[in-house]
Amino acid sequence: MDMSFWNKILKVIGIGICMLSCTIQTDRESDIYNINIEQEISEYRERFIELYTSNALDDTESQMNIEEFEIDYDGNNGEPVTLIKYTDSYGEVLRYQLHFYGETMHCSIDYYLCRDFVLVSKECNYYSSWVLTAGYSDVLYSSIENWIIFDNAVYILHDDGELEEIEEMQMEIPLIEEIETYRLY
């Protein structure tokens, strides 16, 4: 047989392999892109608000439990970290919130446990003086970062709704698995 026949076979095999790898990559990405992230976040917020305010107008039992703990987290230079855990009346965890304090800053990290993913939002306020200085608590500047954790992948959620996949370590915050080790039952 002539070499052009084998070259054609190799080319077809190469195209098939490329199509297979492209399909695998596209299938993985399509899972997160098939989810209406904005709608799921909106539904989560509505449910959270409904549970949070369930007994605001009447004298019924609250449908949400809020527990607060001081934890020792290595990532805060030995300073205590406040962990707040929100659960519904069935014990399902809805949200974790961490508060980190420094001399001139305060960070709040929220982990919203949505149906298909975890939305992580980190807000840091940096002050123009020490936090405990009386009368001088002006916020110099603030920063907000948002991520989506989906199926062991992490994505930056940009302001325009675009997702950018990154490595877990690039978030530079405690992962949900670390937080759950501090959960008290």
Side-chain angles (χ1 to χ4, degrees):
M1 298 193 165
D2 70 49
M3 288 302 284
S4 64
F5 172 77
W6 289 110
N7 287 339
K8 288 178 186 176
I9 294 294
L10 290 174
K11 187 175 182 180
V12 168
I13 291 171
I15 290 171
I17 291 171
C18 176
M19 288 174 61
L20 178 63
S21 66
C22 293
T23 302
I24 291 169
Q25 186 176 25
T26 303
D27 285 346
R28 179 169 179 244
E29 290 178 355
S30 68
D31 290 338
I32 187 69
Y33 294 108
N34 285 335
I35 297 171
N36 186 334
I37 293 171
E38 188 175 317
Q39 179 181 347
E40 189 164 327
I41 292 170
S42 177
E43 289 171 1
Y44 171 89
R45 287 179 179 153
E46 287 175 21
R47 179 173 179 243
F48 190 89
I49 291 168
E50 180 182 314
L51 293 173
Y52 194 86
T53 60
S54 62
N55 65 338
L57 298 176
D58 54 19
D59 195 22
T60 60
E61 188 175 328
S62 176
Q63 294 182 18
M64 181 176 290
N65 300 313
I66 303 171
E67 299 174 87
E68 187 172 314
F69 312 99
E70 289 292 320
I71 61 172
D72 292 323
Y73 176 68
D74 295 336
N76 199 33
N77 299 324
E79 296 295 321
V81 174
T82 303
L83 168 63
I84 303 171
K85 180 174 82 169
Y86 298 82
T87 57
D88 65 13
S89 57
Y90 300 106
E92 178 185 348
V93 179
L94 303 168
R95 173 181 169 194
Y96 292 110
Q97 186 177 57
L98 292 176
H99 289 277
F100 295 85
Y101 293 92
E103 288 182 354
T104 60
M105 57 81 79
H106 166 253
C107 282
S108 176
I109 304 172
D110 289 283
Y111 300 81
Y112 302 97
L113 305 172
C114 297
R115 182 179 62 247
D116 293 318
F117 56 85
V118 176
L119 168 64
V120 181
S121 183
K122 177 182 176 185
E123 178 182 11
C124 292
N125 291 317
Y126 298 90
Y127 299 93
S128 51
S129 65
W130 292 327
V131 174
L132 297 177
T133 306
Y136 293 96
S137 61
D138 292 338
V139 174
L140 183 60
Y141 69 95
S142 298
S143 66
I144 297 175
E145 299 173 85
N146 294 299
W147 300 275
I148 298 287
I149 301 174
F150 174 79
D151 196 29
N152 296 323
V154 176
Y155 301 86
I156 296 173
L157 178 59
H158 294 285
D159 292 339
D160 61 1
E162 291 293 317
L163 297 174
E164 175 187 347
E165 189 169 2
I166 61 170
E167 297 293 322
E168 276 183 357
M169 301 309 291
Q170 289 178 281
M171 287 182 16
E172 298 180 354
I173 62 172
L175 300 174
I176 197 87
E177 296 84 17
E178 293 175 88
I179 292 170
E180 289 182 341
T181 62
Y182 294 109
R183 261 185 12 189
L184 302 177
Y185 295 96

